[in-house]
Amino acid sequence: MAPGWEAAFEAVPRSAFLPDVMWPYDMGRRRAVTVARSEAPESWRAFADADVPIVTQWDDGAHEGTSPGRVSTSSASMPSVVAAMLGDLRVADGDRVLEVGTGTGWNAALLSHRLGDDRVTTVEVEPAVAAAARGALERAGYRPTVLSGDGRAGHAARAPYDRVIATCGVREIPYAWVQQTAQGGVVLAPWGTHFGNGDAVVRLEVAGQCASGRFTRRVEFMKLRAQRTAVRHHDRVPPEGTAAAEASTTALTEGICSATRAGTAPS
């Protein structure tokens, strides 16, 4: 774990941000399974503490019942992936952070514990998910700015940010993120192509009107809603916040200018 984050992870358990009924990814069976705290509290706790991704919403909230739905659309990422990406972010005391993709609110809580509530802004596209995250954050004692809206636009009212972190996969880097990042700041996002679900975390440093940098590791995240393609997640594919089977900390490339006035990453 990157230095400076140990206290946050000790103080902010993922379990505090998980619903009573959830769908963890069972690595042995290679599919999402239903776990209800009221019916199987020990199993619920074991999955909550395990290094597995956990689906918390299916089908953009249209799903009913307790069986897994068709498409996973919100989740709690693997703790190891969360820790690795926060390490890649390399925050410093006093940094202002914009998070795109609030999800359960756990990542925002970790950021708030490390930096302070007033330094964290998080945006979630789904109003019900944002409301649930806000409630979980308040119960845990954290009050970052939680907004419901299209994360592609960032949130200019609280800019500039020293760090922007996306917890959803993107196929283009929205230029608004670069515009709202201070000079020398960082945009961190899981980026990939339209040819598959896989992503690679790209760490971009903002200089002038451009942002360039290197890939840090392979992952797989649910995609930014506005950038979804026909390639979808199914039970055979691990959900959001999963480390790829061949994950590597070796940079895949460097010197990529991924955001220009045209507003897109290389594709």
Side-chain angles (χ1 to χ4, degrees):
M1 183 177 294
W5 287 104
E6 296 89 345
F9 276 85
E10 289 177 1
V12 187
R14 182 171 70 158
S15 58
F17 296 85
L18 296 174
D20 289 341
V21 177
M22 62 187 189
W23 297 271
Y25 188 79
D26 189 311
M27 296 296 188
R29 288 184 276 182
R30 298 187 62 79
R31 63 182 179 87
V33 296
T34 304
V35 180
R37 177 158 45 183
S38 61
E39 298 176 3
E42 292 184 2
S43 180
W44 189 96
R45 174 60 65 177
F47 275 116
D49 293 340
D51 192 27
V52 299
I54 298 174
V55 175
T56 54
Q57 185 199 66
W58 296 95
D59 305 322
D60 295 325
H63 168 260
E64 296 180 353
T66 58
S67 297
R70 189 174 65 89
V71 179
S72 53
T73 50
S74 189
S75 75
S77 301
M78 293 174 68
S80 61
V81 172
V82 173
M85 288 184 64
L86 290 175
D88 290 340
L89 203 60
R90 301 179 201 170
V91 300
D93 292 346
D95 277 354
R96 295 170 57 86
V97 178
L98 170 66
E99 177 192 37
V100 177
T102 310
T104 65
W106 183 44
N107 199 64
L110 292 167
L111 287 164
S112 293
H113 187 90
R114 174 72 174 78
L115 299 170
D117 293 342
D118 61 328
R119 316 303 291 181
V120 179
T121 302
T122 181
V123 182
E124 168 59 46
V125 68
E126 177 64 49
V129 174
R134 187 180 296 110
L137 283 159
E138 290 179 355
R139 288 191 295 274
Y142 300 101
R143 294 181 179 272
T145 298
V146 181
L147 304 168
S148 177
D150 186 348
R152 290 180 301 172
H155 185 62
R158 288 177 59 84
Y161 304 100
D162 301 289
R163 299 289 187 270
V164 174
I165 179 171
T167 57
C168 52
V170 297
R171 295 299 174 257
E172 296 178 352
I173 302 292
Y175 190 52
W177 298 357
V178 178
Q179 291 177 310
Q180 294 173 25
T181 301
Q183 292 296 300
V186 168
V187 175
L188 189 80
W191 181 87
T193 73
H194 290 294
F195 298 105
N197 283 308
D199 306 304
V201 176
V202 65
R203 186 179 193 276
L204 307 172
E205 295 188 7
V206 175
Q209 298 178 348
C210 188
S212 62
R214 307 176 69 183
F215 292 102
T216 64
R217 66 194 71 252
R218 295 177 183 173
V219 294
E220 182 169 331
F221 273 74
M222 296 173 190
K223 307 306 174 268
L224 186 75
R225 185 171 297 186
Q227 295 183 8
R228 288 180 187 167
T229 68
V231 179
R232 297 296 185 100
H233 291 267
H234 300 284
D235 281 352
R236 63 183 176 81
V237 180
E240 176 182 349
T242 303
E246 298 178 358
S248 171
T249 57
T250 303
L252 304 180
T253 189
E254 60 181 311
I256 296 177
C257 181
S258 72
T260 66
R261 282 193 178 275
T264 63
S267 58

